[in-house]
Amino acid sequence: MIQLQRLEGFYWVARMGGYTRAVRAFPYPITQPGIYQQVKRLTEEVGVELFTRVGKDRMALTPAGRELYAFVAPFLEGLPQVARSLKTGERGGTLRIHASNLVLRHLLPPWLGRLRGVRPDIQVRLFESAAPELARLRLGETDLLVDHLPELPHDVESREVGRVKGFIVLPRAHALARSRSVNLKQLEAEPFIGYGSDHHLLDLQLRALALHDVHPRQVHSADSAESILAFVAAGLGFSLVPSFQPEGPRAAGVVAWPLTRPRAEFPIHAVWLKSRQPAPLMAAAMAFAPVLER
């Protein structure tokens, strides 16, 4: 394998046109014999002449040398800027975010819109997850989780970026639809519509019902909040759904009441792995995260 130091010696001789000038231009102390040995060993490795002497201390590239220089020069010339950008975050990259369906639809769009307005160089890849993907975070397969976590692990940094409230939802044609408030116990005999594939949210729903000593006799499943609301609007049952909106979810054919006594409210956290040096992309993303009013 060709060593980087030999390519570096070749680059500076080619750029400066000779060994003496290459010594003066080198980014660290080196002798002329040292550079000469780098070029000599590189020539032996590639098996062709890279330079031809055109004067006392004047070297010109051969056709093979010009081809190699065209390949090497952009890399070596761009490397210092890349190293600086890794420290300062001045250069963009790709930020991978895993989030729940609710967060993807309601919380992330305005947040990422603000980020893109100032940092168009940062590309964002979004992934929907049915539960907090802590394993992916620890394996380096994602950079940021945005979700409700019942407990925050010790190996992560976090910031609360949102808060969702639980709401009881009924069909608009329901006998209780015009009531000022609804007691969950009144609905125990009716079918309940819960999350199907999202076991994390289904568990939250069932725990909330249990706090009110409600145990539905029949449970239907749907894979998203939109599907649940559509089922409710069709008169198939009632449900509990989270919402970022203070007045609850808005959907045709559905009415909503906040879940109280106990009040169901869940913080949404942005979560990333602890690091001695914060990642520049993460710092840039969090600079535009929602700020909650206290």
Side-chain angles (χ1 to χ4, degrees), residues 7-284:
L7 291 173
E8 193 176 25
F10 160 78
Y11 165 78
W12 283 108
V13 173
R15 178 172 174 177
M16 304 309 297
Y19 289 98
T20 301
R21 286 184 288 276
V23 170
R24 293 195 293 265
F26 231 78
Y28 53 83
I30 192 170
T31 64
Q32 183 170 326
I35 297 179
Y36 178 82
Q37 287 300 317
Q38 288 179 349
V39 174
K40 181 175 182 294
R41 289 171 182 167
L42 177 63
T43 301
E44 292 171 350
E45 285 180 335
V46 298
V48 294
E49 292 295 329
L50 301 172
F51 292 103
T52 182
R53 185 174 295 277
V54 293
K56 183 179 179 182
D57 187 35
R58 189 73 180 171
M59 306 297 293
L61 288 166
T62 64
R66 287 195 296 272
E67 184 176 351
L68 181 60
Y69 181 79
F71 176 81
V72 170
F75 168 74
L76 292 175
E77 290 168 2
L79 188 57
Q81 175 58 35
V82 171
R84 286 192 298 270
S85 71
L86 292 175
K87 295 179 181 178
T88 65
E90 294 175 353
R91 183 171 176 168
T94 300
L95 182 68
R96 301 162 299 173
I97 302 177
H98 276 73
S100 65
N101 178 274
L102 188 68
V103 169
L104 286 173
R105 290 185 292 110
H106 295 285
L107 184 65
L108 284 177
W111 174 0
L112 297 180
R114 293 189 294 271
L115 175 64
R116 182 168 180 77
V118 178
R119 294 293 305 272
D121 56 317
I122 296 178
Q123 298 181 16
V124 178
R125 296 185 64 193
L126 297 176
F127 303 90
E128 182 178 342
S129 54
E133 298 275 6
L134 286 168
R136 288 185 183 275
L137 188 67
R138 291 174 176 133
L139 290 171
E141 296 175 358
T142 192
D143 304 304
L144 184 66
L145 302 182
V146 188
D147 209 334
H148 167 67
L149 284 81
E151 295 183 4
L152 294 170
H154 70 279
D155 59 341
V156 303
E157 300 281 356
S158 67
R159 174 173 154 187
E160 188 175 341
V161 292
R163 189 165 283 267
V164 295
K165 298 178 182 178
F167 287 84
I168 305 169
V169 289
L170 288 175
R172 189 170 293 279
H174 196 280
L176 298 173
R178 295 184 180 273
S179 303
R180 298 184 63 180
S181 63
V182 173
N183 186 332
L184 276 175
K185 203 66 177 173
Q186 296 173 275
L187 304 171
E188 186 168 30
E190 301 192 21
F192 179 75
I193 303 171
Y195 284 92
S197 59
D198 195 331
H199 301 294
H200 174 62
L201 286 177
L202 177 61
D203 180 61
L204 290 177
Q205 287 179 308
L206 296 178
R207 281 164 51 193
L209 290 172
L211 288 174
H212 291 80
D213 194 29
V214 174
H215 307 279
R217 301 169 191 172
Q218 185 177 6
V219 177
H220 299 307
S221 297
D223 283 340
S224 68
E226 285 85 357
S227 299
I228 288 176
L229 293 174
F231 279 27
V232 171
L236 299 180
F238 78 101
S239 189
L240 302 177
V241 296
S243 176
F244 284 102
Q245 303 298 327
E247 67 279 8
R250 298 177 180 177
V254 170
V255 290
W257 293 265
L259 189 60
T260 58
R261 300 179 186 177
R263 187 177 183 180
E265 194 168 284
F266 307 98
I268 302 297
H269 284 93
V271 177
W272 62 98
L273 282 181
K274 284 183 178 178
S275 173
R276 293 181 180 178
Q277 183 177 3
L281 284 181
M282 193 65 62

